[in-house]
Amino acid sequence: MLEVLPIQEKAQQESICLRCHVPYNPDWMAYAAYIDGALAGVCQFSMNAGGGHIYSIRGVDGYESTQTLFVMGRAALNFMDLCGIPRAYCEDKELPDDLARMIGFSQDAQGARFVELTHFFDHPCQHSAHK
């Protein structure tokens, strides 16, 4: 079973980031994904007056399930939306374009990946617009 859970302890976040080969930043929040209790990946993000920012969505070494990475990205976006953040940006330059689009990101004229979160999770979910 896939579980995506917030990481509560910074030491645990640092350790998971190391296992997923992404830079750790103690100022960022993070979710960890687990498959049947085994670590599957990490998603690090932050929120500020400029919007939400996803810095890394990565699987643990040898595990790169698109479905798992998608769910972690969507979980972070949903949290941002619940916090009233109207727009989020994908700062993860290594995230493949097709996966970024699947999560919901579009590109502006300058190439920045963004998603408008207002009504994004309303029923029906706006995901179908980004296939």
Side-chain angles (χ1 to χ4, degrees):
M1 173 175 66
L2 171 63
E3 293 180 285
V4 176
L5 304 169
I7 300 173
Q8 301 294 330
E9 301 293 325
K10 292 300 174 180
Q12 181 186 22
Q13 181 179 341
E14 184 175 22
S15 172
I16 290 171
C17 287
L18 234 129
R19 288 189 60 196
C20 294
H21 306 285
V22 295
Y24 162 72
N25 186 318
D27 295 329
W28 297 342
M29 293 173 270
Y31 284 127
Y34 299 91
I35 302 282
D36 297 327
L39 180 66
V42 69
C43 175
Q44 292 187 104
F45 61 97
S46 72
M47 298 178 291
N48 58 36
H53 302 270
I54 293 180
Y55 298 101
S56 56
I57 303 175
R58 202 78 75 247
V60 72
D61 228 6
Y63 185 83
E64 292 291 328
S65 164
T66 299
Q67 178 183 10
T68 299
L69 301 178
F70 168 81
V71 172
M72 282 192 298
R74 279 299 178 94
L77 292 179
N78 186 58
F79 181 74
M80 292 174 196
D81 181 49
L82 291 172
C83 290
I85 301 296
R87 187 176 239 216
Y89 300 90
C90 181
E91 312 293 351
D92 186 346
K93 303 301 182 206
E94 294 182 35
L95 189 69
D97 287 335
D98 59 335
L99 181 54
R101 279 191 304 277
M102 185 186 301
I103 292 168
F105 291 101
S106 299
Q107 282 190 323
D108 65 16
Q110 291 74 37
R113 295 172 173 170
F114 73 95
V115 60
E116 298 293 341
L117 293 175
T118 305
H119 303 297
F120 187 78
F121 289 99
D122 290 355
H123 183 73
C125 178
Q126 298 302 307
H127 170 65
S128 59
H130 295 281
K131 284 186 178 181

